[in-house]
Structure formats: C-alpha cells, structure tokens
Amino acid sequence: MEIPGLDDSERRTTLSEVAKNMLKRSVIFAVIALTTRVAWAAPTSITACRNITIPGSYQLANNLQATGNCLLLQSSDVTIDLNGFSIGGNQTGAGITDGGTKRLRIIVRNGTIQLFQTAIDLAHSQIVTIQKTNITNNVNGIMAGDYSGVDTCFVGSNIQGIRLGSSCTATNNRLSKNRDVVISTGNNCIVAGNNGSDNSKALGIRGGTAALVIGNVASSDYAGINVGDGSTVADNTVSDDPLFGIIVNRGSTVARNTATLNGTGANGEGIQVHENSLIWGNTSSQNKFGFTIYCPTLVLGNTSLFNSSSPPFYFANDLACESVNNLPPP
Amino acid sequence: MLKKITLLAVIVVAARAAYAAPILITACRDVTTQGAYQLANNLNAAGNCLVLKASGVAIDLNGFVIAGNGTGAGITDAGVQRLNVTIRNGAIQQFNTAIDLSHSQVIAIEQVTVTNNHNGIMAGPYATVSDSFIGFNTATGTLLGNFCAVRDNRVNNNSGSVGIDGGDYCSIIGNNASGNQVNVAIAAGRKVLVKQNNASNNAGIGIQVQDGSTVADNVASFDGILGIEGNFNTTIARNTTSFGKKDGIQTGGGSVVYNNTASSNVRIGFFINCPTNLIGNSAHANPTGNFNLVVFGGANCTSYNNF
C-alpha cells in the first residue's frame, strides 16, 4: 500500500494501527451482534426453584429439583414456559403453586412436572391455562379454579388427575393410571376430546351442571362419565368400567354414546339417565344392565343388546316415558 | 489477519441475519413496517399502545402483558384498514378496547388473554380468534365481522351487550361462553355454524343466530332469558337448554328442530314459529308449556316423536 509522504517504517506502523483499529471495531461489532442475539431471549430465565413476584414471561433454562414447593407465584399475569424441561419434587409441596392466594391469568406450558404432592396447585386462582405439559407421579395432578383450561396434556400415575372449577375447559388430554379421579370439573364446563382410559380404580369424568361432555374415551376406569343437570353427553365411548358407564342427571341430552362391558362389578348399568331428558342413538351392550331411565324421558332409537341382566330398558319410576324405535322394544 | 477478521465479522453478521429474529418491542410505539415483532417486556400505556401503520404484521406478545389506563387500545389500526395481522401469546388488559382492529381484515388472534377492558377484541371480516381467554370486559367480549372463525376460547364473566358476536357466515365452535352478565353470550348473523359450545348460566340469552344458520350440539342451560334463539330457516339440533329462567328454544318458521332437550325452564320449552319440522325433541317440566307452536301464514308445523 502506497501512503504518500511516509517512509517504510512509518508506513508499517500505520498499517499496523489500521489493522488494530479494524480488529477492535470487528470485536466490538461482534460483541454488539452477539449481545443483540442474547437480548432476543426476552423471557426471564429460571434456573432454580424460586418465588415469582412480578408479572411477566418466564422460561426454564434447565431442569429444576425441589424439596417442597418449587415455583411459588406471588403475582398475577405470569406465563411460565417450561421449555421442555422438568420440575421434579420429593413427593411434598407443589411444582407450581399460588400458595393459597388467588392469582389471575397464569399460563403454564411445554414441560414436565413430577413427584410432588401436587404438580400444579392453582386451586385458589382463576383464568389458569395449562398446555402441553406432562404431569406424572404426583398425589394431585392439576388443580385450578374457575375459568381455567387444560389442553393437550398427559396426566398419568397420579392419585387425582385434573380438578377444575366452573366455566372450564378440559380438551384433548390423555389421562392414564390415575387412581381416584381422572377429570373433575365444576359447572358449565366443556370436556371434549380427552382419552381418560386405563385408570382402573378411578372415577372417570365427573362434571357439574350444564356440562358439555363430547368425544371422550373413558374406558377401563372404575367408573365412566357422571354429570349434573342440564348437560349434554354425546359421542363418547365408555367401556370396561365396573361401577357404571354413564350417569347423567335431569334435563339432559345423552346421544350417540357407546357403552359396553360396564357395571359388571357393582350391578351397574351402561347408561343411566334421570328425569326430563332425551336419550337417543346410544348403544349400550354387554353391560350388567343396559339402560336405567327415570321418567318422564324421551327414549329414541337406542340399542340395548347382550346385557347380562334384564330388562334392556329399565324404567326406574312409575311415571311415563316415551319410547320410540329402540332395539329391542321395551 | 485482516482477512480472518473480516471473515469473522461477516460470519457474525450472516448468523445474525440468518436467525431472522423478530423485531423487539420494548415500549409502546407505532408499527410502521411489515414484519414479525416480539415483546421484550411488559408494556404500560396511557392511551393507545401499539398502533399499526402497516399490513402484514405479526406480533408475538411472548407471554408478556400490555396494560392500559382504561383508555385507548392495546393494539389498534387507528381506524385505517390493515390486512394480515397476527397477534398471539400474551395478555392485554385495562384498555377501552384491548384489540381494536375493527377497520382491518384477515386478522388472527390466538392464545391471548384479554381481560378487564371495556371492549375485548374487535376485528373486521375474515378474522380468527382461537384458544384465548376473553373475560371480565364490561361492554363487549369479542365483536367480529363476516366470515369469522371463533374456536376453543373461554369467554366468561363479561358484562354489557355480548360475549361473542360474529357476523354472517361465521363458524363458532368449541367455546365456553358461560357465566357472562351479558344480553347475549353467543350472537351471530346469518348462515353461521354454532357448534359444541357451552353457553350456560348467562344473564341473558345463551345463543342467538339469524336466518339460515345451524346450531348443534351446544349446551345452553340455566340462562337468564332464553337458551337458544334462531331465526327463519334454521337447523337447531342436539342441544340442551334446560333450567332456564324463561324459555328453552325459540325459532322462526321454515326451520328444523330435532333431538333437542328443553326441560325445567321457567316458562316454555320450545317456542316455535310454523311451518317448522319438529322431530324427536324432549321437553318436560316447563310449567307454562312444553311445546308452544305459533302458526303464521296458514301453515302448520310437522311434529314427530316429540315428548
């Protein structure tokens, strides 16, 4: 490089300075670029069990191991992305808990919580959303208050699976090998698309009044589906539940369900429906009893075959029911 | 040496570019160019927060909260039509309107928590709202234009006029719209599909649709005025509307009403304008009438296997 007015020694010194300056600038530039890259990881990293005291977005940076509670929420408006990691306990405390104080708008997603007294204990909180989380080997799986939703979770090998308050949704979950309760909800809930099978000692799906229970499998549990007044139970498959298949309370619609091999351990029935309801298009076969119906109720187009006790349609009180196009005719 | 340094810088820059990271938002601002944006922290606003001045914008709230002071909007088009806007994954609260894109079209809103606003979500035609919680708003929960899709949301404890309000040709499926203190929990225009929702225990009407719609597989029990109200030429099938404080199901003429249960309502089970086809419905213990058929135009209803 020719630099006018400089001798060779001066020129070498200048070139050396240029190179140093470029190196400095490049390093600074690289540091800035990398710093900017790091800044994209905006949620607050969680590296150990802790209290969460301010609203915001949090993300696990590694697996967490707890003795007692792990993440104690002391604020509302918290999103926790488990980021594929696990929170493990020692059979006490809770993986994530509100500590008995009402919090609002809590989201937990995308990881595993196991070996706690309660995996997620937000029973005093509302508007809780749990998504894509594995909940295994706890005493209690998921507990959340009103207006909560649990979607696309695996909940297995707990004593109690999912317990939610009113106006809730439990959708597209898989629940297996839970002991006492599979899904239990308050009033006005939607329970749809869940597979709650292979919970051999547990009550399957229990809902309050005005429940919509649709498209679930509740088989090989101790009992199948049991909901309150003014509900719809439709398109479910319920089988091999020794206590009963489906019990629905008054003023409800029970439609297009299949109940087989239920009630065999306790003189139970495939489908039991209480007064002022509509029962249509169901199949109840190979159970201890087929249908037990409290009148008045409209019984339309159902099939009750190969049940071990008769009659196929048992009307449990003296009031009149309307029965049309059922097989066999009552 | 110089070449290596330059190469290093180029690699760093290339790596930075290849990541194609969203643009970070650290404070309320105007969004003036299309692209992907991501919140880096909670935002607080006095008035509007994010004002969209471009189409083609995707905002990932990244689990954070945008909070207002009861005025303005959390995210707004400011009255100018924008297209192709996506908002996801966070909370917006305490605004006059949480998301005001009522002049815009082709909006996607998913996994958003919208609470404690005057109005929750307002968007124009071709909007989708899914997997969100919309509650505790005092005027409107969700107000959408024609051709909307509203799926798998929880819409609870809103007060005022409506929980979910869709225009014509909308699909409203799998929502829990219960426990609202509103006039109508789920309202929609003509030729809509309202399916597998729970619209129970609301102060007013559970579900209300206009002509040519289908309302199927819903529960609308324990509502304060009416479970389901359909207009002319509507299919109402396989719903449960029991224990309401007035009527179970009302519909206009030219409809088919089949396999529904409307029992133990305070007034009437089915209030039907004829001609309508009634098949296999169950109505009991409605003290002032299980089936109340109103004949107009000289045509009667057809009724089979109802009880």
Side-chain angles (χ1 to χ4, degrees), chain B residues 111-151:
Chain B
Q111 296 184 326
V112 174
T113 302
V114 172
T115 58
N116 300 100
N117 305 280
H118 191 55
N119 301 299
I121 297 171
M122 303 172 74
Y126 311 106
T128 299
V129 179
S130 62
D131 300 304
S132 295
F133 179 85
I134 301 147
F136 298 87
N137 302 291
T138 56
T140 303
T142 303
L143 179 59
L144 305 176
N146 296 339
F147 307 102
C148 67
V150 187
R151 290 194 67 113

Side-chain angles (χ1 to χ4, degrees), chain A residues 188-266:
Chain A
N188 316 319
C189 287
I190 296 177
V191 180
N194 301 284
N195 189 329
S197 297
D198 192 23
N199 304 276
S200 61
K201 296 180 179 178
L203 301 176
I205 295 171
R206 301 182 68 189
T209 59
L212 173 57
V213 179
I214 192 163
N216 303 282
V217 178
S219 299
S220 297
D221 302 326
Y222 183 52
I225 296 171
N226 183 4
V227 298
D229 294 346
S231 297
T232 289
V233 177
D235 298 316
N236 301 285
T237 296
V238 179
S239 63
D240 299 284
D241 299 325
L243 189 59
F244 59 81
I246 295 172
I247 296 180
V248 181
N249 223 318
R250 301 166 301 169
S252 297
T253 303
V254 181
R256 307 181 310 252
N257 300 284
T258 301
T260 55
L261 293 164
N262 302 290
T264 53

Side-chain angles (χ1 to χ4, degrees), chain B residues 232-294:
Chain B
F232 297 105
N233 307 318
T234 297
T235 299
I236 299 178
R238 308 182 304 262
N239 303 283
T240 301
T241 60
S242 296
F243 299 96
K245 294 182 177 59
K246 194 175 176 185
D247 298 344
I249 293 175
Q250 286 187 13
T251 186
S255 298
V256 59
V257 180
Y258 75 92
N259 294 142
N260 302 282
T261 301
S263 295
S264 302
N265 296 286
V266 168
R267 203 177 74 156
I268 299 169
F270 291 83
F271 192 104
I272 305 296
N273 283 283
C274 300
T276 279
N277 198 353
L278 284 160
I279 305 170
N281 298 287
S282 178
H284 303 88
N286 301 289
T288 62
N290 291 326
F291 292 92
N292 195 351
L293 308 180
V294 179

